[in-house]
Amino acid sequence: MDITKAFKFNHGQVWNSELQLALAILLGIIFLTLLAILYLRYTQKKQRYKLFLHEMSPRGFNEWEIKRIFNYLHRHDIDSKLFLESEKVATEVIHACSLDEERSLKRLGFDTKYLIERFLQKQRELRKKWNKK
């Protein structure tokens, strides 16, 4: 028995309507799955941007600078916590985004002179507070 006789395809017509329908359904499922994946990636990126904006806006960066930094971090898969904690990573990102290094590092809290001034200012405020009591 010939194995091709078991299939219901006509020998002269390869693209019958059942095969076309099955292929159209398969392509539709693949397209919808791809669309769902892209939408989820977009919403996750949007949520991470909102969180990053919330972390960076009190530091004095404007929205344009925050967006440039976020896009660089997202493109190179760098965690925002690593950016905020490591001076080396922060310097690299600031150079890549072509921002003012001194001002940006000061805003991020990596400038030692600024940190010492801030610490002394807090100590003075605490002394004033204790002296009032």
Side-chain angles (χ1 to χ4, degrees):
M1 180 173 175
D2 192 13
I3 198 162
T4 57
K5 290 181 184 178
F7 296 104
K8 294 182 181 178
F9 296 126
N10 294 336
H11 294 287
Q13 184 181 4
V14 178
W15 288 98
N16 64 2
S17 63
E18 293 175 6
L19 185 61
Q20 290 175 350
L21 181 64
L23 185 61
I25 291 172
L26 179 66
L27 289 176
I29 290 172
I30 291 173
F31 178 74
L32 290 175
T33 305
L34 181 65
L35 193 65
I37 290 171
L38 290 175
Y39 178 73
L40 288 174
R41 287 184 67 197
Y42 169 75
T43 56
Q44 287 176 349
K45 183 178 177 181
K46 191 174 177 181
Q47 289 172 350
R48 281 186 285 189
Y49 176 72
K50 285 183 181 179
L51 180 65
F52 189 70
L53 182 66
H54 180 70
E55 290 175 352
M56 294 293 286
S57 57
R59 297 173 189 256
F61 287 96
N62 62 24
E63 194 167 341
W64 178 79
E65 294 170 334
I66 294 172
K67 189 175 277 189
R68 287 192 72 172
I69 293 171
F70 178 78
N71 285 335
Y72 182 83
L73 293 176
H74 183 72
R75 192 176 320 119
H76 295 283
D77 198 26
I78 301 172
D79 188 28
S80 61
K81 290 182 182 178
L82 180 65
F83 168 70
L84 293 173
E85 293 173 357
S86 172
E87 185 175 0
K88 181 180 177 184
V89 173
T91 306
E92 176 186 326
V93 171
I94 289 168
H95 279 313
C97 294
S98 65
L99 300 175
D100 184 21
E101 181 181 357
E102 183 179 327
R103 196 175 106 233
S104 299
L105 287 177
K106 186 176 182 179
R107 288 177 177 174
L108 289 172
F110 292 117
D111 186 20
T112 54
K113 184 178 177 183
Y114 176 72
L115 288 175
I116 292 171
E117 288 174 6
R118 222 170 86 199
F119 174 75
L120 291 175
Q121 180 71 23
K122 285 183 181 179
Q123 291 297 322
R124 283 187 215 114
E125 290 174 6
L126 286 174
R127 270 191 233 116
K128 288 179 184 177
K129 195 180 209 180
W130 279 100
N131 288 337
K132 287 181 182 179
K133 291 182 180 183

